[in-house]
Amino acid sequence: MADLAPTTTAASADPRRAVLDDPRLTAAGLLFEVANGLAGQLAGQIAAAGVSMSEFEVLLRLSRSDGTRLRMSDLATQANLSSSGLTRLIDRLEGRDLVARQACPSDGRGSFAVLTPTGLDLLLSIMPGHVELIDRWYTSALSPAQLEDLTAALRAVRTVVRPGAEAGA
């Protein structure tokens, strides 16, 4: 993808094109480029472990949650999946003994997805290579202060665009 830096010639030729030089457009474009590029770098390593990106995200979210479990509704929100999409994904993970369902004692209709020891073992086998790739293709390009600032900025934006992303955390 071409660099999304603004060009002065576009706006000067036609004043209506000034919107194309908007720095907000550049910031959003760069965010998408980085996210898509990083996902592409990580996809092969995750696929080699025998899980899809969505399955990996669910396993990782469960591993980082209190008690290695989340309410199914909260997990669906965090993983940006529909209830039926999450149910099918959990069915697949449950069939491989990576996740188990657990009834919610306070709500007879609700249930938890719980990471199993087998699921944790699989995730822990993936993580060293995963973190290495994240460092190679992302965090090593930033100073510690830049990484801290970027993380804070991304959390602020996520709160606006995905307000339920921390549900159940």
PDB file of all heavy atoms in Angstrom, residues 48-72:
ATOM      1  N   ALA A  48       0.320 -22.697  11.949  1.00  0.00           N
ATOM      2  CA  ALA A  48       1.220 -23.842  12.123  1.00  0.00           C
ATOM      3  C   ALA A  48       0.966 -24.564  13.441  1.00  0.00           C
ATOM      4  O   ALA A  48       1.250 -25.757  13.564  1.00  0.00           O
ATOM      5  CB  ALA A  48       2.679 -23.387  12.033  1.00  0.00           C
ATOM      6  N   ALA A  49       0.401 -23.860  14.400  1.00  0.00           N
ATOM      7  CA  ALA A  49       0.077 -24.468  15.694  1.00  0.00           C
ATOM      8  C   ALA A  49      -1.269 -25.197  15.648  1.00  0.00           C
ATOM      9  O   ALA A  49      -1.673 -25.816  16.631  1.00  0.00           O
ATOM     10  CB  ALA A  49       0.053 -23.401  16.782  1.00  0.00           C
ATOM     11  N   GLY A  50      -1.968 -25.097  14.519  1.00  0.00           N
ATOM     12  CA  GLY A  50      -3.221 -25.830  14.359  1.00  0.00           C
ATOM     13  C   GLY A  50      -4.448 -25.108  14.858  1.00  0.00           C
ATOM     14  O   GLY A  50      -5.479 -25.743  15.105  1.00  0.00           O
ATOM     15  N   VAL A  51      -4.359 -23.790  15.016  1.00  0.00           N
ATOM     16  CA  VAL A  51      -5.531 -23.019  15.438  1.00  0.00           C
ATOM     17  C   VAL A  51      -5.729 -21.849  14.484  1.00  0.00           C
ATOM     18  O   VAL A  51      -4.782 -21.372  13.867  1.00  0.00           O
ATOM     19  CB  VAL A  51      -5.421 -22.504  16.896  1.00  0.00           C
ATOM     20  CG1 VAL A  51      -5.450 -23.641  17.890  1.00  0.00           C
ATOM     21  CG2 VAL A  51      -4.178 -21.655  17.094  1.00  0.00           C
ATOM     22  N   SER A  52      -6.962 -21.400  14.382  1.00  0.00           N
ATOM     23  CA  SER A  52      -7.267 -20.217  13.580  1.00  0.00           C
ATOM     24  C   SER A  52      -6.960 -18.975  14.412  1.00  0.00           C
ATOM     25  O   SER A  52      -6.781 -19.050  15.635  1.00  0.00           O
ATOM     26  CB  SER A  52      -8.742 -20.218  13.175  1.00  0.00           C
ATOM     27  OG  SER A  52      -9.565 -19.976  14.312  1.00  0.00           O
ATOM     28  N   MET A  53      -6.934 -17.829  13.745  1.00  0.00           N
ATOM     29  CA  MET A  53      -6.704 -16.569  14.464  1.00  0.00           C
ATOM     30  C   MET A  53      -7.805 -16.339  15.507  1.00  0.00           C
ATOM     31  O   MET A  53      -7.517 -15.901  16.617  1.00  0.00           O
ATOM     32  CB  MET A  53      -6.641 -15.392  13.483  1.00  0.00           C
ATOM     33  CG  MET A  53      -5.398 -15.361  12.622  1.00  0.00           C
ATOM     34  SD  MET A  53      -3.879 -15.045  13.535  1.00  0.00           S
ATOM     35  CE  MET A  53      -3.942 -13.260  13.660  1.00  0.00           C
ATOM     36  N   SER A  54      -9.053 -16.633  15.170  1.00  0.00           N
ATOM     37  CA  SER A  54     -10.156 -16.442  16.126  1.00  0.00           C
ATOM     38  C   SER A  54     -10.019 -17.384  17.317  1.00  0.00           C
ATOM     39  O   SER A  54     -10.255 -16.982  18.463  1.00  0.00           O
ATOM     40  CB  SER A  54     -11.513 -16.662  15.452  1.00  0.00           C
ATOM     41  OG  SER A  54     -11.734 -15.692  14.471  1.00  0.00           O
ATOM     42  N   GLU A  55      -9.654 -18.626  17.051  1.00  0.00           N
ATOM     43  CA  GLU A  55      -9.462 -19.583  18.146  1.00  0.00           C
ATOM     44  C   GLU A  55      -8.318 -19.129  19.049  1.00  0.00           C
ATOM     45  O   GLU A  55      -8.425 -19.174  20.280  1.00  0.00           O
ATOM     46  CB  GLU A  55      -9.180 -20.975  17.585  1.00  0.00           C
ATOM     47  CG  GLU A  55     -10.380 -21.594  16.898  1.00  0.00           C
ATOM     48  CD  GLU A  55     -10.040 -22.838  16.102  1.00  0.00           C
ATOM     49  OE1 GLU A  55      -8.856 -23.042  15.744  1.00  0.00           O
ATOM     50  OE2 GLU A  55     -10.981 -23.623  15.834  1.00  0.00           O
ATOM     51  N   PHE A  56      -7.230 -18.685  18.436  1.00  0.00           N
ATOM     52  CA  PHE A  56      -6.090 -18.203  19.213  1.00  0.00           C
ATOM     53  C   PHE A  56      -6.497 -17.017  20.079  1.00  0.00           C
ATOM     54  O   PHE A  56      -6.154 -16.953  21.257  1.00  0.00           O
ATOM     55  CB  PHE A  56      -4.940 -17.813  18.268  1.00  0.00           C
ATOM     56  CG  PHE A  56      -3.764 -17.209  18.987  1.00  0.00           C
ATOM     57  CD1 PHE A  56      -2.884 -18.022  19.686  1.00  0.00           C
ATOM     58  CD2 PHE A  56      -3.550 -15.847  18.958  1.00  0.00           C
ATOM     59  CE1 PHE A  56      -1.796 -17.467  20.360  1.00  0.00           C
ATOM     60  CE2 PHE A  56      -2.475 -15.291  19.620  1.00  0.00           C
ATOM     61  CZ  PHE A  56      -1.584 -16.101  20.323  1.00  0.00           C
ATOM     62  N   GLU A  57      -7.253 -16.078  19.501  1.00  0.00           N
ATOM     63  CA  GLU A  57      -7.672 -14.913  20.275  1.00  0.00           C
ATOM     64  C   GLU A  57      -8.514 -15.324  21.479  1.00  0.00           C
ATOM     65  O   GLU A  57      -8.331 -14.805  22.581  1.00  0.00           O
ATOM     66  CB  GLU A  57      -8.462 -13.934  19.402  1.00  0.00           C
ATOM     67  CG  GLU A  57      -8.894 -12.707  20.179  1.00  0.00           C
ATOM     68  CD  GLU A  57      -9.663 -11.680  19.380  1.00  0.00           C
ATOM     69  OE1 GLU A  57      -9.904 -11.888  18.180  1.00  0.00           O
ATOM     70  OE2 GLU A  57     -10.024 -10.660  19.977  1.00  0.00           O
ATOM     71  N   VAL A  58      -9.423 -16.267  21.295  1.00  0.00           N
ATOM     72  CA  VAL A  58     -10.259 -16.726  22.397  1.00  0.00           C
ATOM     73  C   VAL A  58      -9.406 -17.409  23.464  1.00  0.00           C
ATOM     74  O   VAL A  58      -9.553 -17.138  24.658  1.00  0.00           O
ATOM     75  CB  VAL A  58     -11.388 -17.648  21.883  1.00  0.00           C
ATOM     76  CG1 VAL A  58     -12.020 -18.459  23.003  1.00  0.00           C
ATOM     77  CG2 VAL A  58     -12.444 -16.808  21.162  1.00  0.00           C
ATOM     78  N   LEU A  59      -8.496 -18.277  23.059  1.00  0.00           N
ATOM     79  CA  LEU A  59      -7.624 -18.935  24.034  1.00  0.00           C
ATOM     80  C   LEU A  59      -6.789 -17.909  24.804  1.00  0.00           C
ATOM     81  O   LEU A  59      -6.643 -18.007  26.029  1.00  0.00           O
ATOM     82  CB  LEU A  59      -6.704 -19.946  23.337  1.00  0.00           C
ATOM     83  CG  LEU A  59      -7.375 -21.153  22.697  1.00  0.00           C
ATOM     84  CD1 LEU A  59      -6.352 -21.972  21.901  1.00  0.00           C
ATOM     85  CD2 LEU A  59      -8.072 -22.016  23.733  1.00  0.00           C
ATOM     86  N   LEU A  60      -6.259 -16.923  24.101  1.00  0.00           N
ATOM     87  CA  LEU A  60      -5.437 -15.904  24.750  1.00  0.00           C
ATOM     88  C   LEU A  60      -6.267 -15.064  25.709  1.00  0.00           C
ATOM     89  O   LEU A  60      -5.847 -14.793  26.838  1.00  0.00           O
ATOM     90  CB  LEU A  60      -4.767 -15.023  23.691  1.00  0.00           C
ATOM     91  CG  LEU A  60      -3.759 -14.003  24.211  1.00  0.00           C
ATOM     92  CD1 LEU A  60      -2.621 -14.678  24.964  1.00  0.00           C
ATOM     93  CD2 LEU A  60      -3.212 -13.184  23.052  1.00  0.00           C
ATOM     94  N   ARG A  61      -7.466 -14.663  25.289  1.00  0.00           N
ATOM     95  CA  ARG A  61      -8.329 -13.869  26.177  1.00  0.00           C
ATOM     96  C   ARG A  61      -8.693 -14.655  27.437  1.00  0.00           C
ATOM     97  O   ARG A  61      -8.687 -14.114  28.535  1.00  0.00           O
ATOM     98  CB  ARG A  61      -9.581 -13.404  25.449  1.00  0.00           C
ATOM     99  CG  ARG A  61      -9.292 -12.300  24.455  1.00  0.00           C
ATOM    100  CD  ARG A  61     -10.556 -11.771  23.795  1.00  0.00           C
ATOM    101  NE  ARG A  61     -10.239 -10.738  22.850  1.00  0.00           N
ATOM    102  CZ  ARG A  61     -10.005  -9.466  23.161  1.00  0.00           C
ATOM    103  NH1 ARG A  61     -10.072  -9.080  24.415  1.00  0.00           N
ATOM    104  NH2 ARG A  61      -9.712  -8.578  22.228  1.00  0.00           N
ATOM    105  N   LEU A  62      -9.000 -15.929  27.269  1.00  0.00           N
ATOM    106  CA  LEU A  62      -9.315 -16.742  28.441  1.00  0.00           C
ATOM    107  C   LEU A  62      -8.105 -16.869  29.363  1.00  0.00           C
ATOM    108  O   LEU A  62      -8.228 -16.762  30.586  1.00  0.00           O
ATOM    109  CB  LEU A  62      -9.807 -18.131  28.017  1.00  0.00           C
ATOM    110  CG  LEU A  62     -11.181 -18.173  27.361  1.00  0.00           C
ATOM    111  CD1 LEU A  62     -11.481 -19.580  26.845  1.00  0.00           C
ATOM    112  CD2 LEU A  62     -12.271 -17.691  28.313  1.00  0.00           C
ATOM    113  N   SER A  63      -6.929 -17.056  28.788  1.00  0.00           N
ATOM    114  CA  SER A  63      -5.726 -17.234  29.606  1.00  0.00           C
ATOM    115  C   SER A  63      -5.395 -15.992  30.418  1.00  0.00           C
ATOM    116  O   SER A  63      -4.801 -16.093  31.492  1.00  0.00           O
ATOM    117  CB  SER A  63      -4.528 -17.602  28.726  1.00  0.00           C
ATOM    118  OG  SER A  63      -4.047 -16.474  28.016  1.00  0.00           O
ATOM    119  N   ARG A  64      -5.771 -14.829  29.925  1.00  0.00           N
ATOM    120  CA  ARG A  64      -5.445 -13.573  30.592  1.00  0.00           C
ATOM    121  C   ARG A  64      -6.590 -13.059  31.463  1.00  0.00           C
ATOM    122  O   ARG A  64      -6.518 -11.962  32.001  1.00  0.00           O
ATOM    123  CB  ARG A  64      -5.039 -12.534  29.553  1.00  0.00           C
ATOM    124  CG  ARG A  64      -3.728 -12.922  28.863  1.00  0.00           C
ATOM    125  CD  ARG A  64      -3.382 -12.031  27.703  1.00  0.00           C
ATOM    126  NE  ARG A  64      -3.373 -10.617  28.028  1.00  0.00           N
ATOM    127  CZ  ARG A  64      -2.292  -9.858  28.136  1.00  0.00           C
ATOM    128  NH1 ARG A  64      -1.102 -10.392  27.953  1.00  0.00           N
ATOM    129  NH2 ARG A  64      -2.384  -8.578  28.424  1.00  0.00           N
ATOM    130  N   SER A  65      -7.641 -13.860  31.617  1.00  0.00           N
ATOM    131  CA  SER A  65      -8.803 -13.481  32.422  1.00  0.00           C
ATOM    132  C   SER A  65      -8.731 -14.150  33.784  1.00  0.00           C
ATOM    133  O   SER A  65      -8.140 -15.224  33.936  1.00  0.00           O
ATOM    134  CB  SER A  65     -10.096 -13.910  31.721  1.00  0.00           C
ATOM    135  OG  SER A  65     -10.209 -13.235  30.492  1.00  0.00           O
ATOM    136  N   ASP A  66      -9.372 -13.516  34.753  1.00  0.00           N
ATOM    137  CA  ASP A  66      -9.407 -14.047  36.110  1.00  0.00           C
ATOM    138  C   ASP A  66      -9.990 -15.459  36.117  1.00  0.00           C
ATOM    139  O   ASP A  66     -11.085 -15.684  35.580  1.00  0.00           O
ATOM    140  CB  ASP A  66     -10.242 -13.113  36.993  1.00  0.00           C
ATOM    141  CG  ASP A  66     -10.166 -13.463  38.460  1.00  0.00           C
ATOM    142  OD1 ASP A  66      -9.101 -13.910  38.915  1.00  0.00           O
ATOM    143  OD2 ASP A  66     -11.191 -13.283  39.153  1.00  0.00           O
ATOM    144  N   GLY A  67      -9.258 -16.405  36.650  1.00  0.00           N
ATOM    145  CA  GLY A  67      -9.723 -17.785  36.705  1.00  0.00           C
ATOM    146  C   GLY A  67      -9.709 -18.484  35.358  1.00  0.00           C
ATOM    147  O   GLY A  67     -10.308 -19.544  35.211  1.00  0.00           O
ATOM    148  N   THR A  68      -9.055 -17.907  34.390  1.00  0.00           N
ATOM    149  CA  THR A  68      -8.991 -18.408  33.002  1.00  0.00           C
ATOM    150  C   THR A  68     -10.380 -18.724  32.438  1.00  0.00           C
ATOM    151  O   THR A  68     -10.572 -19.680  31.707  1.00  0.00           O
ATOM    152  CB  THR A  68      -8.055 -19.626  32.833  1.00  0.00           C
ATOM    153  OG1 THR A  68      -8.596 -20.754  33.540  1.00  0.00           O
ATOM    154  CG2 THR A  68      -6.646 -19.322  33.293  1.00  0.00           C
ATOM    155  N   ARG A  69     -11.328 -17.852  32.788  1.00  0.00           N
ATOM    156  CA  ARG A  69     -12.691 -18.040  32.287  1.00  0.00           C
ATOM    157  C   ARG A  69     -13.355 -16.700  32.076  1.00  0.00           C
ATOM    158  O   ARG A  69     -13.003 -15.701  32.702  1.00  0.00           O
ATOM    159  CB  ARG A  69     -13.498 -18.900  33.245  1.00  0.00           C
ATOM    160  CG  ARG A  69     -13.841 -18.197  34.528  1.00  0.00           C
ATOM    161  CD  ARG A  69     -14.601 -19.092  35.470  1.00  0.00           C
ATOM    162  NE  ARG A  69     -15.167 -18.275  36.538  1.00  0.00           N
ATOM    163  CZ  ARG A  69     -16.087 -18.672  37.361  1.00  0.00           C
ATOM    164  NH1 ARG A  69     -16.577 -19.886  37.258  1.00  0.00           N
ATOM    165  NH2 ARG A  69     -16.539 -17.883  38.290  1.00  0.00           N
ATOM    166  N   LEU A  70     -14.327 -16.707  31.184  1.00  0.00           N
ATOM    167  CA  LEU A  70     -15.158 -15.533  30.913  1.00  0.00           C
ATOM    168  C   LEU A  70     -16.572 -15.991  30.612  1.00  0.00           C
ATOM    169  O   LEU A  70     -16.776 -17.076  30.052  1.00  0.00           O
ATOM    170  CB  LEU A  70     -14.639 -14.765  29.693  1.00  0.00           C
ATOM    171  CG  LEU A  70     -13.443 -13.850  29.874  1.00  0.00           C
ATOM    172  CD1 LEU A  70     -12.893 -13.414  28.517  1.00  0.00           C
ATOM    173  CD2 LEU A  70     -13.824 -12.639  30.712  1.00  0.00           C
ATOM    174  N   ARG A  71     -17.522 -15.140  30.966  1.00  0.00           N
ATOM    175  CA  ARG A  71     -18.899 -15.405  30.551  1.00  0.00           C
ATOM    176  C   ARG A  71     -18.920 -15.425  29.033  1.00  0.00           C
ATOM    177  O   ARG A  71     -18.230 -14.651  28.376  1.00  0.00           O
ATOM    178  CB  ARG A  71     -19.845 -14.328  31.073  1.00  0.00           C
ATOM    179  CG  ARG A  71     -20.086 -14.395  32.567  1.00  0.00           C
ATOM    180  CD  ARG A  71     -21.042 -13.296  33.005  1.00  0.00           C
ATOM    181  NE  ARG A  71     -22.335 -13.420  32.360  1.00  0.00           N
ATOM    182  CZ  ARG A  71     -23.373 -14.079  32.874  1.00  0.00           C
ATOM    183  NH1 ARG A  71     -23.257 -14.684  34.036  1.00  0.00           N
ATOM    184  NH2 ARG A  71     -24.513 -14.146  32.212  1.00  0.00           N
ATOM    185  N   MET A  72     -19.700 -16.306  28.470  1.00  0.00           N
ATOM    186  CA  MET A  72     -19.773 -16.430  27.013  1.00  0.00           C
ATOM    187  C   MET A  72     -20.159 -15.096  26.370  1.00  0.00           C
ATOM    188  O   MET A  72     -19.587 -14.721  25.346  1.00  0.00           O
ATOM    189  CB  MET A  72     -20.766 -17.521  26.622  1.00  0.00           C
ATOM    190  CG  MET A  72     -20.325 -18.931  26.990  1.00  0.00           C
ATOM    191  SD  MET A  72     -19.094 -19.600  25.858  1.00  0.00           S
ATOM    192  CE  MET A  72     -20.143 -19.995  24.464  1.00  0.00           C
TER     193      MET A  72
END
